[in-house]
Amino acid sequence: MEVTNKIVIITGAGSGIGKATAIHFAKYGATVVVSDINLESAQKVVDEIATNKGKAFAIKANVAKFEDVENLINTTVEKFGSLDVIVNNAGIGPNLLKTHESLLKDWDRVIAVNQTGVFYCMKVALQQFLKQGYGNIVNIASLAGLKASPSNISYSASKFAVVGMTKSAAMEYATKNIRVNAVCPGYTESALLDQLLNAKPEMDAVLKSVIPMKRYGKTSEIAEAVVWLASDSTKFITGQTITLDGGTSL
């Protein structure tokens, strides 16, 4: 996949899908800005990439704060001269309550990170992409943004929003050499899945029963799709949601 020498920002890259994606981009020759709200976690990913002779740099950012997003993108452009790709991965999960039981603070927190944070990153990145005449956005949505996800109202709302924002922006900038796509992972081995299974261990058998492949996805499998969408191999793809769910949506 052709991403050699591309400058790539990945939010929420200190763990899970974000970490795997950072490692994959570096493996294929990109320079990766590993961003996370936890700078220590981000730096550990940078160190791992450096150990494998990759190029990476850590920047702390809370995507729910617009000034942090501006600093993330402006610092990247100042340091490397441009920005080729931004992967909007940072996200958090809810407390798994039915809609009438949902806590207002949980709604506000999830929407702030998963929805508003993606909007902030898209807004600032697009301003840079328009200046330089090209760019690529890959948003990490979810199967919960495509189909019903009970006891998950804030997370589902945020991920449906990410799919909608992806499609809207793709149409707006299709003639500007800017592509916008999303990936929609199903149940993937990650901190969010661990959170669910720790709260309800009985869900392990339930979830696997609805996955035709009878297993969870691996973060490396999601990362491969993200790198592919960001590569020069997919120049005619925009506004798409690539579903990686082991057949669950079937």
Side-chain angles (χ1 to χ4, degrees), residues 10-15 34-43 59-65 68 72 90-92 113:
I10 305 170
T11 65
S15 62
V34 180
S35 178
D36 200 275
I37 196 169
N38 185 325
L39 185 59
E40 183 179 353
S41 296
Q43 188 58 53
I59 299 180
K60 180 177 180 177
N62 177 355
V63 297
K65 294 183 177 180
D68 277 20
L72 168 62
I92 56 176
V113 175

Side-chain angles (χ1 to χ4, degrees), residues 92-166:
I92 56 176
N95 282 336
L96 302 173
L97 299 171
K98 291 184 178 179
T99 301
H100 75 283
E101 299 170 325
S102 298
L103 303 176
L104 296 183
K105 65 178 182 179
D106 287 341
W107 171 272
D108 291 341
R109 183 176 62 95
V110 172
I111 296 299
V113 175
N114 295 9
Q115 180 174 333
T116 304
V118 170
F119 163 66
Y120 287 167
C121 289
M122 289 176 66
K123 175 181 172 64
V124 181
L126 284 164
Q127 291 170 348
Q128 174 60 29
F129 292 161
L130 288 169
K131 287 179 188 175
Q132 65 191 31
Y134 63 89
N136 194 324
I137 296 173
V138 182
N139 292 324
I140 309 301
S142 171
L143 185 60
L146 299 174
K147 61 184 291 293
S149 184
S151 299
N152 217 9
I153 188 71
S154 57
Y155 187 79
S156 183
S158 69
K159 294 303 184 178
F160 266 89
V162 169
V163 170
M165 290 190 288
T166 297

Side-chain angles (χ1 to χ4, degrees), residues 83-99:
L83 174 63
D84 296 285
V85 180
I86 185 166
V87 179
N88 294 316
N89 167 75
I92 56 176
N95 282 336
L96 302 173
L97 299 171
K98 291 184 178 179
T99 301

Side-chain angles (χ1 to χ4, degrees), residues 40-59:
E40 183 179 353
S41 296
Q43 188 58 53
K44 286 180 180 177
V45 176
V46 169
D47 293 343
E48 183 174 340
I49 289 171
T51 299
N52 291 294
K53 301 186 175 4
K55 295 172 286 185
F57 181 74
I59 299 180

Side-chain angles (χ1 to χ4, degrees), residues 22 25 221:
F25 267 109
E221 293 169 328

